């Protein structure tokens, strides 16, 4: 059975008139008769009993009628849903992002997205940088926002902006009175950072190693929020991406410009060969349109 045949069957069954059905379907009498004949031959028997004056459903035609109505309703609903998805009148997009990005720069971007596409739902997975890569690679999400991969990867990376690290010091320390600081001065204080294999930790160690210095870690944690609270309480100092500066200040620490800072691109990760849904593409476009660098470094 084809959709054309089912629609022809319903038109005749509802009107019990080939002439009326022809008008509704904008078909000639011969075209409609051939369509019904092909349907009957395909199913193996007559659906209508007809003579020069009357058209009536056979028992088999009566049995097909409710099934045909349901088939057409399901077909029309499927067409309508797909049109709505492609026109972004409905849909869902899944995203994985580093907590620092998800909690700072992402909310205003999602506000813009929701204003344009109010009926598209967004699922945000705020996970550490390494998990963002895994979720994109395993196709658990369509988009990922993370640092540029440190190792070669098959994933596509579209940079959004270049983040650079800032120094984090206790708000009541003498260091907080400075406008900037160098590594030699900062590393004289007890240093607090994330545990391995955090990307932030690896970037710090590689940056200092290239300059003949070593990261003297005295306190370490799994969460940047804990690092911020440790610094705020006077346990030591740290260095974090500028993306996290607002969070550090909210926790009671103070941020300084870090001379010869660590710099790393932050961007969108996608899986090659995995075409984005219309909703994911729309969010991707908004991410690219936003001038995120100005928000961090006005």
């Amino acid at each position: 059975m084809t959709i054309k045949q089912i629609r022809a069957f319903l038109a005749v069954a509802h009107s019990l008139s080939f002439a009326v059905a022809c008008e509704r379907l904008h078909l000639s009498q011969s075209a409609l008769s051939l369509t019904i004949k092909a349907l009957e031959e395909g199913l193996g028997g007559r659906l209508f009993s007809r003579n020069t004056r009357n058209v009536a459903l056979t028992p088999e035609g009566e049995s097909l009628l409710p099934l045909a109505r349901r088939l057409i309703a399901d077909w029309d609903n499927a067409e309508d849903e797909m049109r709505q998805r492609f026109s972004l009148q409905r849909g869902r997009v899944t995203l994985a992002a580093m907590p620092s990005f998800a909690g700072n720069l992402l909310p205003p971007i999602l506000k813009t997205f929701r204003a344009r596409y109010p009926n598209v739902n967004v699922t945000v997975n705020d996970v550490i940088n390494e998990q963002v890569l895994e979720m994109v690679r395993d196709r658990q999400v369509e988009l990922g926002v993370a640092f540029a991969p440190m190792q070669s990867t098959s994933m596509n990376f579209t940079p959004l902006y270049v983040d650079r690290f800032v120094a984090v010091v206790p708000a009541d320390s003498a260091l907080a009175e400075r406008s900037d600081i160098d590594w030699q001065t900062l590393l004289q204080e007890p240093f607090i950072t994330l545990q391995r294999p955090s990307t932030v930790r690896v970037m710090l160690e590689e940056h200092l190693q290239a300059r003949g210095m070593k990261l003297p870690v005295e306190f370490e944690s799994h969460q940047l929020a804990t690092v911020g609270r440790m610094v705020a309480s006077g346990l030591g100092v740290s260095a974090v991406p500028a993306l996290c500066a607002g969070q550090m200040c909210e926790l009671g620490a103070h941020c300084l410009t870090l001379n010869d800072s660590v710099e790393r691109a932050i961007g969108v990760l996608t899986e090659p060969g995995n075409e984005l849904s219309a909703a994911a593409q729309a969010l991707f476009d908004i991410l690219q349109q936003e001038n995120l660098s100005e928000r961090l470094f006005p």
Side-chain angles (χ1 to χ4, degrees):
M1 294 185 295
T2 67
I3 291 298
K4 179 182 178 181
Q5 291 172 343
I6 294 297
R7 291 194 190 279
F9 166 78
L10 286 174
V12 177
H14 289 157
S15 63
L16 294 178
S17 167
F18 272 72
V20 173
C22 285
E23 291 181 6
R24 290 180 179 175
L25 297 172
H26 305 289
L27 291 174
S28 66
Q29 184 102 14
S30 60
L32 178 58
S33 295
L34 287 173
T35 300
I36 295 297
K37 183 180 179 181
L39 176 60
E40 290 177 328
E41 289 178 348
L43 294 177
R46 293 198 305 159
L47 300 171
F48 297 100
S49 61
R50 50 195 179 272
N51 53 41
T52 55
R53 291 188 176 183
N54 298 311
V55 176
L57 285 164
T58 64
E60 289 77 14
E62 293 282 3
S63 298
L64 178 59
L65 185 57
L67 300 176
R69 286 172 175 157
R70 189 162 68 245
L71 284 169
I72 292 299
D74 289 344
W75 180 271
D76 289 343
N77 288 338
E79 280 191 332
D80 183 59
E81 178 171 340
M82 293 312 301
R83 287 194 185 98
Q84 289 185 31
R85 287 183 178 273
F86 279 118
S87 63
L88 296 175
Q89 296 177 42
R90 66 183 300 176
R92 176 179 295 277
V93 56
T94 55
L95 169 78
M98 302 178 295
S100 51
F101 186 91
N104 292 284
L105 295 182
L106 186 58
I109 292 171
L110 293 181
K111 186 176 181 179
T112 300
F113 182 82
R114 175 48 63 94
R116 294 184 190 176
Y117 314 109
N119 297 318
V120 178
N121 296 327
V122 181
T123 299
V124 178
N125 298 272
D126 49 341
V127 294
I128 62 174
N129 190 83
E130 293 74 21
Q131 284 183 276
V132 173
L133 274 67
E134 291 177 6
M135 294 187 77
V136 174
R137 184 175 58 246
D138 296 341
R139 299 195 175 186
Q140 298 177 44
V141 298
E142 291 190 84
L143 302 172
V145 180
F147 287 109
M150 302 183 71
Q151 300 175 348
S152 60
T153 175
S154 62
M155 284 183 284
N156 296 327
F157 178 78
T158 304
L160 298 176
Y161 69 99
V162 175
D163 201 344
R164 53 179 180 264
F165 281 41
V166 295
V168 188
V169 301
D172 57 357
S173 69
L175 294 177
E177 299 176 3
R178 304 169 60 117
S179 60
D180 59 5
I181 193 170
D182 55 48
W183 283 109
Q184 289 78 6
T185 305
L186 186 67
L187 295 181
Q188 291 176 9
E189 305 293 325
F191 201 85
I192 308 167
T193 190
L194 295 175
Q195 294 179 340
R196 295 191 185 94
S198 160
T199 301
V200 170
R201 171 73 171 266
V202 173
M203 284 192 290
L204 281 170
E205 290 179 334
E206 289 185 349
H207 183 82
L208 292 175
Q209 184 178 9
R211 288 152 180 78
M213 292 183 281
K214 186 177 180 181
L215 191 65
V217 179
E218 295 195 25
F219 296 95
E220 53 187 1
S221 170
H222 278 299
Q223 302 293 334
L224 277 170
T226 305
V227 171
R229 291 192 182 280
M230 286 182 175
V231 173
S233 66
L235 287 173
V237 299
S238 188
V240 301
L243 180 62
C244 309
Q247 180 185 14
M248 296 294 109
C249 294
E250 290 174 1
L251 294 170
H254 182 75
C255 294
L256 304 172
T257 298
L258 184 56
N259 300 328
D260 186 27
S261 181
V262 181
E263 294 188 350
R264 188 90 177 184
I266 288 179
V268 181
L269 289 162
T270 56
E271 182 67 12
N274 187 24
E275 185 170 346
L276 297 178
S277 66
Q281 185 63 56
L283 180 55
F284 188 11
D285 292 343
I286 291 175
L287 282 164
Q288 290 182 287
Q289 291 163 7
E290 294 290 324
N291 194 336
L292 301 178
S293 184
E294 280 192 359
R295 294 189 186 182
L296 289 177
F297 312 110

mmCIF file of all heavy atoms in Angstrom, residues 78-109:
data_model
loop_
_atom_site.group_PDB
_atom_site.id
_atom_site.type_symbol
_atom_site.label_atom_id
_atom_site.label_comp_id
_atom_site.label_asym_id
_atom_site.label_seq_id
_atom_site.Cartn_x
_atom_site.Cartn_y
_atom_site.Cartn_z
ATOM 1 N N ALA A 78 3.795 12.444 11.667
ATOM 2 C CA ALA A 78 5.245 12.306 11.463
ATOM 3 C C ALA A 78 5.767 13.430 10.579
ATOM 4 O O ALA A 78 6.811 14.036 10.864
ATOM 5 C CB ALA A 78 5.556 10.946 10.843
ATOM 6 N N GLU A 79 5.039 13.720 9.497
ATOM 7 C CA GLU A 79 5.442 14.817 8.612
ATOM 8 C C GLU A 79 5.462 16.143 9.363
ATOM 9 O O GLU A 79 6.391 16.942 9.230
ATOM 10 C CB GLU A 79 4.472 14.917 7.428
ATOM 11 C CG GLU A 79 4.727 13.905 6.331
ATOM 12 C CD GLU A 79 3.907 14.221 5.085
ATOM 13 O OE1 GLU A 79 2.824 14.820 5.221
ATOM 14 O OE2 GLU A 79 4.365 13.879 3.983
ATOM 15 N N ASP A 80 4.411 16.361 10.162
ATOM 16 C CA ASP A 80 4.307 17.620 10.902
ATOM 17 C C ASP A 80 5.442 17.758 11.908
ATOM 18 O O ASP A 80 6.046 18.824 12.038
ATOM 19 C CB ASP A 80 2.955 17.685 11.607
ATOM 20 C CG ASP A 80 2.750 19.002 12.336
ATOM 21 O OD1 ASP A 80 2.798 20.060 11.678
ATOM 22 O OD2 ASP A 80 2.554 18.982 13.564
ATOM 23 N N GLU A 81 5.759 16.662 12.612
ATOM 24 C CA GLU A 81 6.835 16.726 13.609
ATOM 25 C C GLU A 81 8.174 17.021 12.954
ATOM 26 O O GLU A 81 8.965 17.837 13.442
ATOM 27 C CB GLU A 81 6.915 15.420 14.394
ATOM 28 C CG GLU A 81 8.063 15.425 15.406
ATOM 29 C CD GLU A 81 8.039 14.241 16.349
ATOM 30 O OE1 GLU A 81 6.980 13.622 16.497
ATOM 31 O OE2 GLU A 81 9.095 13.953 16.932
ATOM 32 N N MET A 82 8.460 16.369 11.824
ATOM 33 C CA MET A 82 9.738 16.594 11.167
ATOM 34 C C MET A 82 9.829 18.020 10.621
ATOM 35 O O MET A 82 10.892 18.649 10.696
ATOM 36 C CB MET A 82 9.939 15.581 10.046
ATOM 37 C CG MET A 82 10.101 14.144 10.539
ATOM 38 S SD MET A 82 11.288 13.986 11.906
ATOM 39 C CE MET A 82 12.778 14.617 11.159
ATOM 40 N N ARG A 83 8.728 18.536 10.086
ATOM 41 C CA ARG A 83 8.754 19.925 9.615
ATOM 42 C C ARG A 83 9.030 20.875 10.776
ATOM 43 O O ARG A 83 9.765 21.852 10.639
ATOM 44 C CB ARG A 83 7.421 20.276 8.943
ATOM 45 C CG ARG A 83 7.227 19.635 7.577
ATOM 46 C CD ARG A 83 6.065 20.275 6.823
ATOM 47 N NE ARG A 83 5.813 19.589 5.563
ATOM 48 C CZ ARG A 83 4.871 18.658 5.399
ATOM 49 N NH1 ARG A 83 4.095 18.331 6.422
ATOM 50 N NH2 ARG A 83 4.694 18.071 4.228
ATOM 51 N N GLN A 84 8.418 20.596 11.928
ATOM 52 C CA GLN A 84 8.636 21.447 13.097
ATOM 53 C C GLN A 84 10.077 21.366 13.574
ATOM 54 O O GLN A 84 10.651 22.366 14.007
ATOM 55 C CB GLN A 84 7.686 21.043 14.231
ATOM 56 C CG GLN A 84 6.231 21.399 13.967
ATOM 57 C CD GLN A 84 5.349 21.097 15.150
ATOM 58 O OE1 GLN A 84 5.792 21.167 16.296
ATOM 59 N NE2 GLN A 84 4.104 20.747 14.887
ATOM 60 N N ARG A 85 10.663 20.172 13.487
ATOM 61 C CA ARG A 85 12.062 20.035 13.911
ATOM 62 C C ARG A 85 12.999 20.786 12.969
ATOM 63 O O ARG A 85 13.921 21.474 13.400
ATOM 64 C CB ARG A 85 12.450 18.558 13.995
ATOM 65 C CG ARG A 85 11.837 17.839 15.197
ATOM 66 C CD ARG A 85 12.287 16.402 15.294
ATOM 67 N NE ARG A 85 11.713 15.763 16.467
ATOM 68 C CZ ARG A 85 12.250 15.791 17.675
ATOM 69 N NH1 ARG A 85 13.395 16.434 17.864
ATOM 70 N NH2 ARG A 85 11.673 15.190 18.691
ATOM 71 N N PHE A 86 12.754 20.642 11.669
ATOM 72 C CA PHE A 86 13.618 21.329 10.719
ATOM 73 C C PHE A 86 13.420 22.836 10.765
ATOM 74 O O PHE A 86 14.349 23.601 10.486
ATOM 75 C CB PHE A 86 13.374 20.813 9.296
ATOM 76 C CG PHE A 86 14.083 19.517 9.005
ATOM 77 C CD1 PHE A 86 13.357 18.373 8.689
ATOM 78 C CD2 PHE A 86 15.462 19.430 9.051
ATOM 79 C CE1 PHE A 86 14.003 17.171 8.424
ATOM 80 C CE2 PHE A 86 16.116 18.247 8.792
ATOM 81 C CZ PHE A 86 15.383 17.107 8.477
ATOM 82 N N SER A 87 12.223 23.295 11.122
ATOM 83 C CA SER A 87 11.970 24.736 11.235
ATOM 84 C C SER A 87 12.205 25.239 12.655
ATOM 85 O O SER A 87 11.941 26.397 12.960
ATOM 86 C CB SER A 87 10.530 25.047 10.804
ATOM 87 O OG SER A 87 9.598 24.405 11.668
ATOM 88 N N LEU A 88 12.711 24.336 13.545
ATOM 89 C CA LEU A 88 13.041 24.666 14.938
ATOM 90 C C LEU A 88 11.828 25.158 15.718
ATOM 91 O O LEU A 88 11.944 25.974 16.625
ATOM 92 C CB LEU A 88 14.174 25.701 14.997
ATOM 93 C CG LEU A 88 15.511 25.199 14.434
ATOM 94 C CD1 LEU A 88 16.538 26.308 14.414
ATOM 95 C CD2 LEU A 88 16.030 24.033 15.269
ATOM 96 N N GLN A 89 10.665 24.620 15.396
ATOM 97 C CA GLN A 89 9.485 24.872 16.208
ATOM 98 C C GLN A 89 9.392 23.870 17.344
ATOM 99 O O GLN A 89 8.577 24.016 18.246
ATOM 100 C CB GLN A 89 8.226 24.803 15.335
ATOM 101 C CG GLN A 89 8.165 25.883 14.270
ATOM 102 C CD GLN A 89 6.945 25.731 13.387
ATOM 103 O OE1 GLN A 89 5.855 25.439 13.868
ATOM 104 N NE2 GLN A 89 7.120 25.920 12.094
ATOM 105 N N ARG A 90 10.214 22.839 17.277
ATOM 106 C CA ARG A 90 10.341 21.873 18.367
ATOM 107 C C ARG A 90 11.667 21.149 18.191
ATOM 108 O O ARG A 90 12.341 21.292 17.180
ATOM 109 C CB ARG A 90 9.171 20.888 18.377
ATOM 110 C CG ARG A 90 9.127 19.966 17.177
ATOM 111 C CD ARG A 90 7.916 19.064 17.206
ATOM 112 N NE ARG A 90 7.907 18.230 18.402
ATOM 113 C CZ ARG A 90 6.912 17.397 18.707
ATOM 114 N NH1 ARG A 90 5.844 17.327 17.934
ATOM 115 N NH2 ARG A 90 6.958 16.652 19.782
ATOM 116 N N GLY A 91 12.050 20.353 19.196
ATOM 117 C CA GLY A 91 13.293 19.610 19.089
ATOM 118 C C GLY A 91 14.068 19.631 20.395
ATOM 119 O O GLY A 91 13.614 20.168 21.414
ATOM 120 N N ARG A 92 15.246 19.038 20.361
ATOM 121 C CA ARG A 92 16.117 18.965 21.543
ATOM 122 C C ARG A 92 17.560 18.961 21.078
ATOM 123 O O ARG A 92 17.888 18.373 20.048
ATOM 124 C CB ARG A 92 15.819 17.702 22.357
ATOM 125 C CG ARG A 92 16.759 17.491 23.554
ATOM 126 C CD ARG A 92 16.392 16.245 24.327
ATOM 127 N NE ARG A 92 15.092 16.370 24.928
ATOM 128 C CZ ARG A 92 14.859 16.979 26.102
ATOM 129 N NH1 ARG A 92 15.871 17.524 26.774
ATOM 130 N NH2 ARG A 92 13.657 17.055 26.590
ATOM 131 N N VAL A 93 18.422 19.606 21.842
ATOM 132 C CA VAL A 93 19.849 19.578 21.561
ATOM 133 C C VAL A 93 20.574 19.207 22.854
ATOM 134 O O VAL A 93 20.205 19.660 23.941
ATOM 135 C CB VAL A 93 20.347 20.934 21.009
ATOM 136 C CG1 VAL A 93 20.011 22.073 21.948
ATOM 137 C CG2 VAL A 93 21.849 20.891 20.742
ATOM 138 N N THR A 94 21.586 18.355 22.733
ATOM 139 C CA THR A 94 22.371 17.930 23.890
ATOM 140 C C THR A 94 23.770 18.504 23.784
ATOM 141 O O THR A 94 24.383 18.492 22.712
ATOM 142 C CB THR A 94 22.447 16.396 23.977
ATOM 143 O OG1 THR A 94 22.949 15.879 22.735
ATOM 144 C CG2 THR A 94 21.070 15.807 24.244
ATOM 145 N N LEU A 95 24.263 18.996 24.909
ATOM 146 C CA LEU A 95 25.549 19.695 24.945
ATOM 147 C C LEU A 95 26.324 19.264 26.179
ATOM 148 O O LEU A 95 25.749 19.072 27.248
ATOM 149 C CB LEU A 95 25.289 21.207 24.998
ATOM 150 C CG LEU A 95 26.461 22.139 25.306
ATOM 151 C CD1 LEU A 95 27.321 22.301 24.060
ATOM 152 C CD2 LEU A 95 25.945 23.499 25.761
ATOM 153 N N ALA A 96 27.629 19.090 26.022
ATOM 154 C CA ALA A 96 28.522 18.869 27.166
ATOM 155 C C ALA A 96 29.481 20.050 27.225
ATOM 156 O O ALA A 96 29.997 20.489 26.197
ATOM 157 C CB ALA A 96 29.298 17.557 27.012
ATOM 158 N N ALA A 97 29.703 20.567 28.421
ATOM 159 C CA ALA A 97 30.583 21.727 28.566
ATOM 160 C C ALA A 97 31.297 21.670 29.906
ATOM 161 O O ALA A 97 30.754 21.155 30.887
ATOM 162 C CB ALA A 97 29.781 23.029 28.457
ATOM 163 N N MET A 98 32.514 22.201 29.922
ATOM 164 C CA MET A 98 33.249 22.305 31.183
ATOM 165 C C MET A 98 32.420 23.111 32.182
ATOM 166 O O MET A 98 31.759 24.090 31.797
ATOM 167 C CB MET A 98 34.586 23.010 30.955
ATOM 168 C CG MET A 98 35.494 22.347 29.958
ATOM 169 S SD MET A 98 37.029 23.302 29.737
ATOM 170 C CE MET A 98 36.387 24.812 29.015
ATOM 171 N N PRO A 99 32.422 22.740 33.466
ATOM 172 C CA PRO A 99 31.633 23.477 34.456
ATOM 173 C C PRO A 99 31.920 24.978 34.464
ATOM 174 O O PRO A 99 31.004 25.788 34.630
ATOM 175 C CB PRO A 99 32.043 22.831 35.786
ATOM 176 C CG PRO A 99 32.425 21.438 35.402
ATOM 177 C CD PRO A 99 33.086 21.565 34.055
ATOM 178 N N SER A 100 33.192 25.348 34.257
ATOM 179 C CA SER A 100 33.538 26.770 34.264
ATOM 180 C C SER A 100 32.853 27.511 33.118
ATOM 181 O O SER A 100 32.424 28.658 33.274
ATOM 182 C CB SER A 100 35.056 26.947 34.168
ATOM 183 O OG SER A 100 35.578 26.197 33.078
ATOM 184 N N PHE A 101 32.721 26.865 31.966
ATOM 185 C CA PHE A 101 32.030 27.482 30.832
ATOM 186 C C PHE A 101 30.519 27.402 31.033
ATOM 187 O O PHE A 101 29.802 28.382 30.812
ATOM 188 C CB PHE A 101 32.425 26.781 29.532
ATOM 189 C CG PHE A 101 31.878 27.438 28.299
ATOM 190 C CD1 PHE A 101 32.608 28.418 27.636
ATOM 191 C CD2 PHE A 101 30.628 27.098 27.803
ATOM 192 C CE1 PHE A 101 32.104 29.042 26.502
ATOM 193 C CE2 PHE A 101 30.108 27.710 26.675
ATOM 194 C CZ PHE A 101 30.847 28.690 26.023
ATOM 195 N N ALA A 102 30.058 26.243 31.481
ATOM 196 C CA ALA A 102 28.625 26.046 31.668
ATOM 197 C C ALA A 102 28.043 27.005 32.707
ATOM 198 O O ALA A 102 26.904 27.450 32.578
ATOM 199 C CB ALA A 102 28.350 24.598 32.087
ATOM 200 N N GLY A 103 28.843 27.337 33.707
ATOM 201 C CA GLY A 103 28.338 28.189 34.774
ATOM 202 C C GLY A 103 28.567 29.670 34.576
ATOM 203 O O GLY A 103 27.998 30.485 35.301
ATOM 204 N N ASN A 104 29.375 30.039 33.587
ATOM 205 C CA ASN A 104 29.707 31.454 33.409
ATOM 206 C C ASN A 104 29.260 32.022 32.060
ATOM 207 O O ASN A 104 28.452 32.948 32.018
ATOM 208 C CB ASN A 104 31.229 31.647 33.576
ATOM 209 C CG ASN A 104 31.697 31.393 34.995
ATOM 210 O OD1 ASN A 104 31.513 32.208 35.877
ATOM 211 N ND2 ASN A 104 32.316 30.243 35.230
ATOM 212 N N LEU A 105 29.763 31.490 30.980
ATOM 213 C CA LEU A 105 29.469 32.052 29.666
ATOM 214 C C LEU A 105 28.248 31.432 28.987
ATOM 215 O O LEU A 105 27.620 32.058 28.133
ATOM 216 C CB LEU A 105 30.682 31.891 28.744
ATOM 217 C CG LEU A 105 31.936 32.676 29.141
ATOM 218 C CD1 LEU A 105 33.028 32.465 28.110
ATOM 219 C CD2 LEU A 105 31.630 34.156 29.284
ATOM 220 N N LEU A 106 27.910 30.201 29.360
ATOM 221 C CA LEU A 106 26.825 29.513 28.663
ATOM 222 C C LEU A 106 25.430 30.084 28.947
ATOM 223 O O LEU A 106 24.621 30.180 28.011
ATOM 224 C CB LEU A 106 26.865 28.019 28.983
ATOM 225 C CG LEU A 106 25.878 27.140 28.218
ATOM 226 C CD1 LEU A 106 26.090 27.280 26.712
ATOM 227 C CD2 LEU A 106 26.008 25.682 28.649
ATOM 228 N N PRO A 107 25.086 30.444 30.189
ATOM 229 C CA PRO A 107 23.710 30.909 30.448
ATOM 230 C C PRO A 107 23.227 32.048 29.544
ATOM 231 O O PRO A 107 22.121 31.950 28.992
ATOM 232 C CB PRO A 107 23.760 31.321 31.925
ATOM 233 C CG PRO A 107 24.779 30.406 32.513
ATOM 234 C CD PRO A 107 25.845 30.291 31.455
ATOM 235 N N PRO A 108 24.007 33.127 29.322
ATOM 236 C CA PRO A 108 23.501 34.171 28.409
ATOM 237 C C PRO A 108 23.369 33.686 26.970
ATOM 238 O O PRO A 108 22.512 34.170 26.226
ATOM 239 C CB PRO A 108 24.550 35.283 28.528
ATOM 240 C CG PRO A 108 25.753 34.669 29.139
ATOM 241 C CD PRO A 108 25.264 33.547 29.989
ATOM 242 N N ILE A 109 24.203 32.718 26.572
ATOM 243 C CA ILE A 109 24.080 32.146 25.229
ATOM 244 C C ILE A 109 22.781 31.353 25.113
ATOM 245 O O ILE A 109 22.056 31.451 24.117
ATOM 246 C CB ILE A 109 25.295 31.252 24.924
ATOM 247 C CG1 ILE A 109 26.561 32.109 24.809
ATOM 248 C CG2 ILE A 109 25.077 30.437 23.651
ATOM 249 C CD1 ILE A 109 27.839 31.308 24.715
#
